[in-house]
Amino acid sequence: MAKGHRSQIKRVRNEENKDKRPSAKISYARVSVTKACFVLDAIRGKSVNEALAILQYNNRKGSAIIYKLLKSAVANAENNNGLKADNLYVAECFANKGPTMKRIHPRAQGRAYRIEKKTSHITVVLDERQED
């Protein structure tokens, strides 16, 4: 049995199991999960340079947000992990549902329709290609 308080044991265990790959995350992005996933599916598994090119010329709603997020992940990889941008590829990318803002739109005869402005939490995880 390990020595120490339960929180200390958990802290050590979590540090050992922590994902060491460079990543970037944006929370509360004003794009729905479905719209973000169309863009994320296009770049998953691609090299960073290829993914940036796809995002730059894609005119879908989330492309600009994900472009900035991917550039941030590349900067994290270079500065924090000392990796070269040429060897990186998009290992994982996913969008989770964020809170929905509810708004009211007035309609005819005193009725009101609800407008839901959806948000998402988008994560991009990079990894280094293994040289053969």
Side-chain angles (χ1 to χ4, degrees):
M1 193 69 175
K3 297 271 187 198
H5 193 268
R6 183 171 57 230
S7 62
Q8 292 172 322
I9 295 168
K10 287 170 81 174
R11 191 177 303 119
V12 169
R13 185 186 63 219
N14 289 340
E15 192 63 38
E16 291 169 359
N17 296 338
K18 188 175 180 188
D19 194 3
K20 302 281 193 270
R21 298 180 297 180
S23 66
K25 180 178 180 180
I26 182 171
S27 298
Y28 310 106
R30 273 289 292 120
V31 61
S32 72
V33 175
T34 348
K35 290 177 184 175
C37 280
F38 280 121
V39 179
L40 293 173
D41 290 340
I43 66 167
R44 190 175 290 116
K46 303 271 196 304
S47 71
V48 166
N49 295 330
E50 193 177 345
L52 286 171
I54 289 169
L55 290 172
Q56 194 169 11
Y57 295 105
N58 192 348
N59 62 355
R60 281 196 175 266
K61 166 101 184 199
S63 295
I65 298 167
I66 297 170
Y67 180 81
K68 287 174 73 173
L69 186 67
L70 184 57
K71 289 196 59 112
S72 173
V74 170
N76 289 342
E78 290 175 335
N79 293 325
N80 301 344
N81 299 33
L83 302 173
K84 294 265 189 260
D86 301 331
N87 302 335
L88 296 173
Y89 74 101
V90 181
E92 287 180 44
C93 53
F94 52 89
N96 295 325
K97 188 172 179 293
T100 303
M101 297 186 286
K102 283 131 183 134
R103 300 293 182 260
I104 300 298
H105 191 96
R107 301 300 290 191
Q109 298 180 356
R111 293 184 178 90
Y113 281 7
R114 172 174 277 180
I115 294 176
E116 293 186 342
K117 299 188 173 200
K118 298 180 178 178
T119 62
S120 56
H121 307 309
I122 306 171
T123 307
V124 173
V125 180
L126 304 178
D127 205 358
E128 203 167 21
R129 286 234 191 262
Q130 298 303 324
E131 312 267 330
D132 289 334

